Coordinates of all heavy atoms in Angstrom, one line a residue:
N1 N 59.3 74.0 129.4 CA 58.8 72.7 129.4 C 57.7 72.5 128.3 O 56.6 72.2 128.7 CB 58.3 72.3 130.8 CG 59.1 71.1 131.3 OD1 59.8 70.5 130.6 ND2 58.8 70.8 132.6
N2 N 58.0 72.7 127.1 CA 57.0 72.6 126.0 C 57.2 71.2 125.3 O 58.3 70.9 124.9 CB 57.2 73.7 125.1 CG 56.0 73.9 124.1 OD1 55.4 72.9 123.8 ND2 55.7 75.1 123.7
L3 N 56.2 70.5 125.1 CA 56.2 69.2 124.4 C 55.8 69.4 123.0 O 55.2 68.4 122.4 CB 55.4 68.2 125.1 CG 55.9 67.9 126.6 CD1 54.9 66.9 127.2 CD2 57.3 67.3 126.6
S4 N 56.0 70.5 122.3 CA 55.5 70.7 120.9 C 56.0 69.7 119.9 O 55.4 69.4 118.9 CB 55.8 72.1 120.5 OG 57.2 72.4 120.5
F5 N 57.2 69.2 120.2 CA 57.8 68.2 119.3 C 56.9 66.9 119.1 O 57.0 66.2 118.2 CB 59.2 67.8 119.7 CG 59.3 67.1 121.0 CD1 59.2 65.8 121.1 CD2 59.4 67.9 122.1 CE1 59.3 65.1 122.3 CE2 59.5 67.2 123.4 CZ 59.4 65.8 123.4
L6 N 56.0 66.7 120.1 CA 55.1 65.5 120.0 C 53.9 65.8 119.2 O 53.2 64.9 118.9 CB 54.7 65.1 121.4 CG 55.9 64.6 122.3 CD1 55.4 64.3 123.7 CD2 56.5 63.3 121.7
G7 N 53.6 67.1 118.8 CA 52.4 67.4 118.1 C 52.3 66.9 116.7 O 51.3 66.4 116.3
G8 N 53.3 67.2 116.0 CA 53.3 66.7 114.6 C 52.7 67.7 113.6 O 53.0 67.8 112.5
D9 N 51.7 68.5 114.1 CA 51.1 69.5 113.2 C 51.6 70.9 113.4 O 51.1 71.9 112.9 CB 49.6 69.5 113.5 CG 49.2 69.8 115.0 OD1 50.2 70.1 115.8 OD2 48.1 69.8 115.3
G10 N 52.7 71.1 114.2 CA 53.3 72.4 114.4 C 52.7 73.2 115.4 O 53.1 74.3 115.8
A11 N 51.5 72.8 115.9 CA 50.8 73.5 117.0 C 51.5 73.4 118.3 O 52.1 72.3 118.6 CB 49.4 73.0 117.1
S12 N 51.6 74.4 119.0 CA 52.2 74.4 120.3 C 51.3 73.6 121.3 O 50.1 73.7 121.3 CB 52.4 75.8 120.9 OG 53.0 75.8 122.1
R13 N 51.9 72.7 122.0 CA 51.2 71.9 123.0 C 51.6 72.4 124.4 O 52.7 72.9 124.7 CB 51.7 70.4 122.9 CG 51.4 69.8 121.5 CD 49.9 69.6 121.3 NE 49.7 68.9 120.1 CZ 49.0 69.4 119.1 NH1 48.5 70.6 119.1 NH2 48.8 68.6 118.0
P14 N 50.7 72.2 125.4 CA 51.0 72.6 126.7 C 52.1 71.7 127.3 O 52.2 70.6 126.9 CB 49.7 72.4 127.5 CG 48.9 71.4 126.7 CD 49.4 71.6 125.2
G15 N 52.8 72.3 128.3 CA 53.8 71.5 129.0 C 53.1 70.6 130.0 O 51.9 70.7 130.3
I16 N 53.8 69.7 130.6 CA 53.3 68.7 131.6 C 52.7 69.5 132.8 O 51.6 69.1 133.3 CB 54.3 67.7 132.0 CG1 54.6 66.8 130.8 CG2 53.8 66.9 133.2 CD1 55.8 65.8 131.0
A17 N 53.4 70.5 133.2 CA 53.0 71.3 134.4 C 51.6 71.9 134.2 O 50.8 72.0 135.1 CB 54.0 72.3 134.8
E18 N 51.4 72.4 132.9 CA 50.1 73.2 132.6 C 49.0 72.2 132.4 O 47.8 72.5 132.8 CB 50.3 74.1 131.4 CG 51.3 75.2 131.6 CD 52.7 74.8 131.3 OE1 53.0 73.8 130.6 OE2 53.6 75.5 131.9
D19 N 49.2 71.1 131.8 CA 48.1 70.2 131.5 C 48.6 68.7 131.6 O 48.9 68.1 130.6 CB 47.6 70.5 130.1 CG 46.3 69.7 129.8 OD1 45.8 68.9 130.7 OD2 45.8 69.8 128.6
P20 N 48.6 68.2 132.8 CA 49.1 66.8 133.0 C 48.2 65.8 132.3 O 48.7 64.7 131.9 CB 49.1 66.6 134.5 CG 48.4 67.7 135.1 CD 48.3 68.8 134.1
E21 N 46.9 66.1 132.1 CA 46.1 65.1 131.4 C 46.5 64.9 129.9 O 46.5 63.8 129.4 CB 44.6 65.5 131.5 CG 44.0 65.3 132.9 CD 42.5 65.6 132.9 OE1 41.9 65.5 131.9 OE2 42.1 65.9 134.0
W22 N 46.9 66.0 129.3 CA 47.4 66.0 127.9 C 48.6 65.1 127.8 O 48.8 64.3 127.0 CB 47.7 67.4 127.4 CG 48.2 67.3 126.0 CD1 47.5 67.2 124.8 CD2 49.6 67.3 125.6 NE1 48.3 67.1 123.8 CE2 49.6 67.2 124.2 CE3 50.8 67.4 126.3 CZ2 50.8 67.2 123.5 CZ3 52.0 67.3 125.6 CH2 52.0 67.2 124.2
A23 N 49.5 65.3 128.8 CA 50.7 64.5 128.8 C 50.4 63.0 129.0 O 51.0 62.1 128.3 CB 51.7 64.9 129.9
L24 N 49.5 62.7 129.8 CA 49.1 61.3 130.0 C 48.4 60.7 128.7 O 48.7 59.5 128.4 CB 48.1 61.1 131.2 CG 48.7 61.4 132.5 CD1 47.6 61.4 133.6 CD2 49.7 60.4 132.9
Q25 N 47.7 61.5 128.0 CA 47.1 61.1 126.7 C 48.2 60.7 125.7 O 48.2 59.8 125.0 CB 46.2 62.1 126.1 CG 44.9 62.3 126.9 CD 44.1 63.4 126.4 OE1 44.5 64.2 125.6 NE2 42.8 63.5 126.8
V26 N 49.3 61.6 125.7 CA 50.4 61.4 124.8 C 51.1 60.1 125.1 O 51.4 59.2 124.3 CB 51.4 62.5 124.8 CG1 52.7 62.2 124.1 CG2 50.8 63.8 124.2
L27 N 51.3 59.9 126.4 CA 52.0 58.6 126.9 C 51.1 57.4 126.6 O 51.6 56.4 126.1 CB 52.3 58.7 128.4 CG 53.4 59.7 128.8 CD1 53.5 59.8 130.3 CD2 54.7 59.4 128.1
D28 N 49.8 57.5 126.8 CA 48.9 56.4 126.5 C 48.9 56.1 125.0 O 48.9 54.9 124.6 CB 47.5 56.8 127.0 CG 46.7 55.6 127.3 OD1 47.3 54.5 127.6 OD2 45.4 55.7 127.2
T29 N 48.9 57.1 124.2 CA 48.9 56.9 122.7 C 50.2 56.2 122.3 O 50.2 55.3 121.5 CB 48.8 58.2 122.0 OG1 47.6 58.8 122.4 CG2 48.7 58.0 120.5
G30 N 51.3 56.6 122.9 CA 52.6 56.0 122.6 C 52.6 54.6 123.0 O 53.2 53.7 122.4
S31 N 52.0 54.3 124.2 CA 52.0 52.9 124.7 C 51.1 52.0 123.7 O 51.5 50.9 123.4 CB 51.4 52.9 126.1 OG 51.2 51.6 126.5
D32 N 50.0 52.6 123.2 CA 49.2 51.8 122.3 C 50.0 51.5 121.0 O 49.9 50.4 120.5 CB 47.9 52.6 121.9 CG 47.0 52.6 123.1 OD1 47.1 51.8 124.0 OD2 46.0 53.5 123.0
A33 N 50.7 52.5 120.5 CA 51.5 52.3 119.3 C 52.6 51.2 119.5 O 52.8 50.4 118.7 CB 52.2 53.6 118.9
L34 N 53.2 51.3 120.7 CA 54.3 50.3 121.0 C 53.7 48.9 121.1 O 54.3 47.9 120.6 CB 54.9 50.6 122.3 CG 56.1 49.7 122.7 CD1 57.2 49.8 121.7 CD2 56.6 50.1 124.1
D35 N 52.4 48.8 121.6 CA 51.8 47.5 121.7 C 51.5 46.9 120.3 O 51.5 45.7 120.1 CB 50.5 47.6 122.5 CG 50.7 47.6 124.0 OD1 51.9 47.4 124.4 OD2 49.8 47.9 124.7
R36 N 51.2 47.8 119.3 CA 50.9 47.4 118.0 C 52.2 46.9 117.3 O 52.2 45.9 116.5 CB 50.3 48.5 117.2 CG 48.8 48.5 117.4 CD 48.1 49.5 116.4 NE 47.5 50.6 117.3 CZ 47.9 51.8 117.3 NH1 48.9 52.2 116.5 NH2 47.4 52.7 118.1
I37 N 53.3 47.6 117.6 CA 54.6 47.2 116.9 C 55.2 46.0 117.6 O 55.6 45.1 116.9 CB 55.6 48.4 117.1 CG1 55.1 49.6 116.3 CG2 57.0 48.0 116.6 CD1 55.9 50.9 116.6
M38 N 55.1 45.9 118.9 CA 55.7 44.8 119.6 C 54.7 44.4 120.7 O 54.7 44.9 121.8 CB 57.0 45.4 120.3 CG 58.0 44.3 120.6 SD 59.6 45.1 121.1 CE 59.2 45.9 122.6
P39 N 53.9 43.5 120.3 CA 52.8 43.0 121.3 C 53.4 42.4 122.5 O 54.5 41.8 122.5 CB 52.0 42.0 120.5 CG 52.7 41.8 119.2 CD 53.8 42.7 119.1
P40 N 52.7 42.6 123.7 CA 53.2 42.0 124.9 C 53.2 40.4 124.8 O 52.5 39.9 124.0 CB 52.2 42.4 126.0 CG 51.1 42.9 125.3 CD 51.5 43.3 123.9
P41 N 54.1 39.8 125.6 CA 54.1 38.3 125.5 C 52.9 37.7 126.0 O 52.1 38.3 126.7 CB 55.3 38.0 126.4 CG 55.5 39.1 127.3 CD 55.0 40.3 126.5
P42 N 52.6 36.4 125.7 CA 51.4 35.7 126.2 C 51.5 35.7 127.7 O 52.5 36.0 128.3 CB 51.5 34.3 125.6 CG 52.8 34.2 124.9 CD 53.4 35.6 124.8
E43 N 50.3 35.4 128.3 CA 50.2 35.4 129.7 C 51.3 34.6 130.4 O 51.6 33.4 130.0 CB 48.9 34.8 130.1 CG 48.5 35.0 131.6 CD 48.5 36.4 132.1 OE1 48.0 37.2 131.3 OE2 48.9 36.7 133.2
V44 N 52.0 35.2 131.4 CA 53.0 34.5 132.1 C 52.4 33.7 133.2 O 51.5 34.1 133.9 CB 54.0 35.5 132.7 CG1 55.1 34.9 133.5 CG2 54.6 36.4 131.6
P45 N 52.9 32.4 133.4 CA 52.3 31.6 134.4 C 52.4 32.2 135.8 O 53.3 32.9 136.1 CB 53.1 30.3 134.4 CG 53.9 30.3 133.1 CD 53.9 31.8 132.7
T46 N 51.4 31.9 136.6 CA 51.4 32.5 138.0 C 52.6 32.1 138.8 O 53.1 32.9 139.6 CB 50.1 32.0 138.7 OG1 49.0 32.3 137.9 CG2 49.9 32.7 140.0
S47 N 53.1 30.9 138.6 CA 54.3 30.5 139.4 C 55.5 31.3 139.0 O 56.3 31.7 139.9 CB 54.6 29.0 139.1 OG 54.8 28.8 137.8
A48 N 55.6 31.7 137.8 CA 56.8 32.5 137.3 C 56.6 33.9 137.9 O 57.6 34.6 138.4 CB 56.8 32.6 135.8
Q49 N 55.4 34.4 138.0 CA 55.1 35.8 138.6 C 55.4 35.7 140.0 O 56.0 36.7 140.6 CB 53.6 36.1 138.4 CG 53.3 36.4 137.0 CD 51.8 36.7 136.8 OE1 51.0 36.5 137.7 NE2 51.4 37.1 135.6
A50 N 55.1 34.6 140.7 CA 55.4 34.5 142.1 C 56.9 34.5 142.4 O 57.4 35.1 143.3 CB 54.8 33.3 142.7
I51 N 57.6 33.8 141.5 CA 59.1 33.7 141.7 C 59.7 35.1 141.5 O 60.6 35.6 142.2 CB 59.7 32.7 140.7 CG1 59.3 31.3 141.1 CG2 61.2 32.8 140.6 CD1 59.6 30.2 140.1
V52 N 59.3 35.8 140.4 CA 59.8 37.2 140.1 C 59.5 38.1 141.3 O 60.3 38.9 141.8 CB 59.2 37.7 138.8 CG1 59.5 39.2 138.7 CG2 59.8 36.9 137.6
A53 N 58.2 38.0 141.8 CA 57.9 38.9 143.0 C 58.7 38.5 144.2 O 59.2 39.4 144.9 CB 56.4 38.7 143.3
A54 N 59.0 37.3 144.5 CA 59.8 36.9 145.6 C 61.2 37.4 145.5 O 61.8 37.9 146.4 CB 59.8 35.4 145.8
V55 N 61.8 37.2 144.3 CA 63.1 37.7 144.1 C 63.2 39.2 144.3 O 64.1 39.8 144.8 CB 63.6 37.3 142.7 CG1 64.9 38.1 142.3 CG2 63.9 35.8 142.6
A56 N 62.2 39.9 143.8 CA 62.1 41.4 143.9 C 62.1 41.8 145.4 O 62.8 42.7 145.8 CB 60.9 42.0 143.2
V57 N 61.2 41.1 146.2 CA 61.1 41.4 147.6 C 62.4 41.1 148.3 O 62.9 42.0 149.1 CB 59.9 40.6 148.2 CG1 60.0 40.7 149.7 CG2 58.6 41.1 147.7
V58 N 63.0 40.0 148.0 CA 64.3 39.7 148.7 C 65.4 40.7 148.3 O 66.2 41.1 149.2 CB 64.7 38.2 148.3 CG1 66.1 38.0 148.8 CG2 63.8 37.2 149.0
S59 N 65.4 41.1 147.1 CA 66.4 42.1 146.6 C 66.2 43.4 147.3 O 67.2 44.0 147.8 CB 66.3 42.3 145.1 OG 66.6 41.1 144.4
V60 N 65.0 43.9 147.5 CA 64.7 45.1 148.2 C 65.1 45.0 149.6 O 65.7 45.9 150.2 CB 63.3 45.6 148.0 CG1 62.9 46.7 148.9 CG2 63.0 45.9 146.5
L61 N 64.7 43.9 150.3 CA 65.0 43.7 151.7 C 66.5 43.7 151.9 O 67.1 44.2 152.8 CB 64.4 42.5 152.2 CG 62.8 42.6 152.4 CD1 62.3 41.2 152.9 CD2 62.5 43.6 153.5
D62 N 67.2 43.0 151.0 CA 68.7 42.9 151.0 C 69.3 44.3 151.0 O 70.2 44.6 151.7 CB 69.2 42.0 149.9 CG 70.7 41.9 149.9 OD1 71.4 41.8 151.0 OD2 71.3 42.0 148.8
A63 N 68.8 45.1 150.0 CA 69.4 46.4 149.8 C 69.1 47.3 151.0 O 70.0 48.1 151.4 CB 68.8 47.0 148.5
V64 N 67.9 47.2 151.5 CA 67.5 48.2 152.6 C 68.0 47.7 154.0 O 68.6 48.4 154.7 CB 65.9 48.3 152.6 CG1 65.5 49.1 153.8 CG2 65.5 49.0 151.3
V65 N 67.7 46.4 154.3 CA 68.0 45.9 155.6 C 69.4 45.5 155.8 O 70.1 45.8 156.7 CB 67.0 44.8 156.0 CG1 67.4 44.2 157.4 CG2 65.6 45.3 156.0
L66 N 69.9 44.7 154.8 CA 71.3 44.1 154.9 C 72.3 44.9 154.2 O 73.5 44.5 154.1 CB 71.3 42.7 154.4 CG 70.3 41.7 155.1 CD1 70.3 40.4 154.4 CD2 70.7 41.6 156.6
Q67 N 71.9 46.0 153.6 CA 72.8 46.9 152.8 C 73.6 46.2 151.7 O 74.8 46.4 151.5 CB 73.8 47.6 153.7 CG 73.1 48.5 154.7 CD 74.0 49.2 155.7 OE1 75.2 48.9 155.8 NE2 73.5 50.2 156.4
G68 N 72.9 45.2 151.1 CA 73.5 44.5 149.9 C 74.4 43.3 150.3 O 75.1 42.8 149.5
A69 N 74.4 42.9 151.6 CA 75.3 41.9 152.0 C 75.0 40.5 151.4 O 75.9 39.8 151.0 CB 75.3 41.7 153.5
L70 N 73.7 40.2 151.2 CA 73.3 39.0 150.6 C 73.8 38.9 149.1 O 74.3 37.9 148.7 CB 71.8 38.8 150.6 CG 71.2 37.5 150.1 CD1 71.8 36.3 150.8 CD2 69.7 37.6 150.1
A71 N 73.5 40.0 148.4 CA 74.0 40.0 147.0 C 75.5 39.9 146.9 O 76.0 39.2 146.0 CB 73.5 41.3 146.3
E72 N 76.2 40.6 147.7 CA 77.7 40.5 147.7 C 78.1 39.1 148.0 O 79.1 38.6 147.4 CB 78.3 41.5 148.7 CG 79.8 41.6 148.7 CD 80.3 42.1 147.3 OE1 79.6 42.8 146.6 OE2 81.4 41.6 147.0
T73 N 77.5 38.4 148.9 CA 77.9 37.1 149.3 C 77.6 36.1 148.1 O 78.5 35.3 147.7 CB 77.1 36.5 150.5 OG1 77.3 37.4 151.6 CG2 77.4 35.1 150.8
L74 N 76.5 36.3 147.4 CA 76.2 35.5 146.2 C 77.2 35.8 145.1 O 77.7 34.8 144.4 CB 74.8 35.8 145.7 CG 73.7 35.3 146.6 CD1 72.3 35.8 146.1 CD2 73.7 33.7 146.6
R75 N 77.6 37.0 144.9 CA 78.6 37.4 143.9 C 79.9 36.7 144.2 O 80.6 36.2 143.3 CB 78.8 38.9 143.8 CG 77.8 39.6 143.0 CD 78.2 41.0 142.7 NE 77.0 41.8 142.8 CZ 76.6 42.6 143.8 NH1 77.4 42.8 144.8 NH2 75.5 43.2 143.8
R76 N 80.3 36.7 145.5 CA 81.6 36.1 145.8 C 81.6 34.6 145.7 O 82.6 34.0 145.3 CB 82.0 36.4 147.3 CG 82.4 37.9 147.4 CD 82.8 38.2 148.9 NE 83.1 39.6 149.0 CZ 83.6 40.1 150.1 NH1 83.7 39.4 151.1 NH2 83.8 41.4 150.1
R77 N 80.4 34.0 145.9 CA 80.3 32.5 145.8 C 80.4 32.1 144.3 O 80.9 31.1 143.9 CB 79.0 32.0 146.4 CG 78.9 32.2 147.8 CD 79.4 31.0 148.6 NE 79.3 31.3 150.0 CZ 79.4 30.4 150.9 NH1 79.6 29.1 150.5 NH2 79.3 30.7 152.1
L78 N 79.7 32.9 143.5 CA 79.7 32.6 142.0 C 81.0 32.9 141.3 O 81.3 32.3 140.3 CB 78.5 33.4 141.4 CG 77.1 32.9 141.8 CD1 76.1 33.9 141.3 CD2 76.8 31.5 141.4
D79 N 81.7 33.9 141.8 CA 83.0 34.3 141.2 C 84.1 34.6 142.2 O 84.2 35.7 142.7 CB 82.7 35.6 140.3 CG 84.0 36.0 139.5 OD1 84.9 35.2 139.5 OD2 83.9 37.1 139.0
P80 N 84.8 33.5 142.6 CA 85.8 33.6 143.7 C 86.9 34.6 143.3 O 87.5 35.2 144.2 CB 86.3 32.2 143.9 CG 85.3 31.3 143.2 CD 84.6 32.1 142.2
S81 N 87.2 34.8 142.1 CA 88.3 35.7 141.7 C 87.9 37.2 141.8 O 88.7 38.1 141.7 CB 88.7 35.4 140.2 OG 87.7 35.8 139.3
R82 N 86.6 37.4 142.1 CA 86.1 38.8 142.2 C 86.8 39.6 143.3 O 87.1 40.7 143.2 CB 84.6 38.8 142.4 CG 84.0 40.2 142.4 CD 82.5 40.1 142.5 NE 81.9 41.4 142.2 CZ 81.8 42.4 143.2 NH1 82.2 42.1 144.4 NH2 81.3 43.5 142.9
G83 N 87.1 38.9 144.4 CA 87.7 39.6 145.6 C 89.0 40.2 145.2 O 89.3 41.3 145.6
S84 N 89.9 39.4 144.6 CA 91.2 40.0 144.2 C 91.1 41.1 143.2 O 91.8 42.0 143.2 CB 92.1 38.9 143.7 OG 91.6 38.3 142.5
R85 N 90.1 41.0 142.3 CA 89.9 42.1 141.3 C 89.4 43.3 142.0 O 89.9 44.4 141.7 CB 88.8 41.7 140.3 CG 89.3 41.0 139.1 CD 88.3 41.0 137.9 NE 86.9 40.9 138.2 CZ 86.2 39.9 138.3 NH1 86.7 38.7 138.0 NH2 84.9 39.9 138.5
V86 N 88.5 43.2 143.0 CA 88.1 44.4 143.7 C 89.2 45.0 144.5 O 89.4 46.3 144.5 CB 86.9 44.0 144.7 CG1 86.6 45.2 145.6 CG2 85.7 43.6 143.9
V87 N 90.1 44.2 145.1 CA 91.3 44.7 145.8 C 92.2 45.5 144.9 O 92.6 46.6 145.2 CB 92.0 43.6 146.6 CG1 93.3 44.1 147.1 CG2 91.1 43.0 147.7
R88 N 92.5 44.9 143.7 CA 93.3 45.6 142.8 C 92.7 46.9 142.3 O 93.3 47.9 142.1 CB 93.6 44.7 141.6 CG 94.6 43.6 141.9 CD 95.2 42.9 140.6 NE 94.1 42.4 139.8 CZ 93.6 41.2 139.8 NH1 94.1 40.3 140.7 NH2 92.7 40.8 139.0
H89 N 91.4 46.9 142.1 CA 90.7 48.1 141.6 C 90.8 49.2 142.6 O 91.1 50.3 142.3 CB 89.2 47.7 141.4 CG 88.3 48.9 141.0 ND1 88.2 49.4 139.8 CD2 87.6 49.7 141.8 CE1 87.4 50.4 139.8 NE2 87.0 50.7 141.0
E90 N 90.5 48.9 143.9 CA 90.6 49.9 145.0 C 92.0 50.4 145.2 O 92.2 51.5 145.4 CB 90.0 49.3 146.3 CG 88.5 49.0 146.2 CD 87.7 50.2 145.8 OE1 88.0 51.3 146.2 OE2 86.7 49.9 145.1
A91 N 93.0 49.5 145.0 CA 94.4 49.9 145.1 C 94.7 50.9 144.0 O 95.5 51.9 144.2 CB 95.3 48.7 145.0
G92 N 94.1 50.8 142.8 CA 94.3 51.7 141.7 C 93.7 53.1 142.2 O 94.4 54.1 141.8
H93 N 92.6 53.2 142.9 CA 92.1 54.4 143.4 C 93.1 55.1 144.3 O 93.4 56.3 144.2 CB 90.8 54.2 144.1 CG 89.6 53.9 143.3 ND1 89.0 54.9 142.5 CD2 89.0 52.8 143.1 CE1 88.0 54.3 141.9 NE2 87.9 53.0 142.2
V94 N 93.7 54.3 145.2 CA 94.7 54.8 146.1 C 95.9 55.3 145.4 O 96.4 56.4 145.7 CB 95.1 53.8 147.2 CG1 96.2 54.3 148.1 CG2 93.9 53.4 148.0
L95 N 96.4 54.6 144.4 CA 97.6 55.0 143.7 C 97.4 56.3 142.9 O 98.2 57.2 143.0 CB 98.0 53.9 142.7 CG 99.2 54.2 141.8 CD1 100.4 54.4 142.6 CD2 99.4 53.1 140.8
V96 N 96.2 56.4 142.2 CA 95.9 57.6 141.5 C 95.8 58.8 142.4 O 96.3 59.9 142.2 CB 94.6 57.4 140.6 CG1 94.2 58.8 140.1 CG2 94.9 56.4 139.5
A97 N 95.1 58.6 143.6 CA 95.0 59.7 144.5 C 96.4 60.1 145.0 O 96.7 61.3 145.1 CB 94.2 59.3 145.7
H98 N 97.3 59.2 145.3 CA 98.6 59.5 145.8 C 99.4 60.3 144.7 O 100.1 61.3 145.0 CB 99.4 58.2 146.1 CG 100.8 58.4 146.5 ND1 101.2 59.0 147.7 CD2 101.9 58.2 145.8 CE1 102.5 59.1 147.7 NE2 103.0 58.6 146.6
L99 N 99.3 59.8 143.4 CA 100.0 60.5 142.3 C 99.5 61.9 142.1 O 100.2 62.8 141.6 CB 99.9 59.6 141.1 CG 100.6 58.3 141.1 CD1 100.3 57.5 139.8 CD2 102.1 58.5 141.3
L100 N 98.2 62.1 142.4 CA 97.6 63.4 142.2 C 97.8 64.3 143.4 O 97.4 65.5 143.4 CB 96.1 63.3 141.9 CG 95.8 62.7 140.5 CD1 94.3 62.5 140.4 CD2 96.3 63.6 139.4
G101 N 98.4 63.8 144.5 CA 98.6 64.6 145.7 C 97.4 64.7 146.6 O 97.4 65.6 147.4
V102 N 96.4 63.9 146.4 CA 95.2 63.9 147.2 C 95.5 63.1 148.5 O 96.0 62.0 148.4 CB 94.0 63.3 146.5 CG1 92.8 63.3 147.4 CG2 93.7 64.1 145.2
P103 N 95.3 63.7 149.6 CA 95.5 63.0 150.9 C 94.6 61.7 151.0 O 93.4 61.8 150.7 CB 95.2 64.0 152.0 CG 94.5 65.1 151.4 CD 94.7 65.1 149.9
V104 N 95.2 60.6 151.3 CA 94.5 59.4 151.4 C 94.2 59.1 152.9 O 95.1 59.1 153.7 CB 95.4 58.2 150.8 CG1 94.6 56.9 151.0 CG2 95.7 58.5 149.4
E105 N 92.9 58.9 153.1 CA 92.5 58.6 154.5 C 91.9 57.2 154.5 O 91.4 56.7 153.6 CB 91.4 59.6 154.9 CG 91.9 61.0 154.9 CD 90.8 62.0 155.2 OE1 89.7 61.5 155.6 OE2 91.0 63.2 155.1
S106 N 92.0 56.6 155.7 CA 91.5 55.2 155.8 C 90.0 55.2 156.2 O 89.4 56.2 156.5 CB 92.2 54.4 156.9 OG 92.0 55.1 158.1

């Protein structure tokens, strides 16, 4: 785990496991360089931050508590033809398994 390619002067650098502070300095320097090349956008309004945070919380709760049922319902409402596409896709799995001689279980 040697990060010598980041040195530039040919000197061997410690790996992350040996010196995590050095690795953080490298990442921090890279972040500063990226900010100079592509500056962050101006301050985002608080209302937009609140909306993004709410969507993130709902998404996580949907994934953890409802096992993605809310997202799946939204997808079906937005694209009614998706159901038949999914059925054809899954039928393709069954067909390939049958052709390869893999036992198909329900």
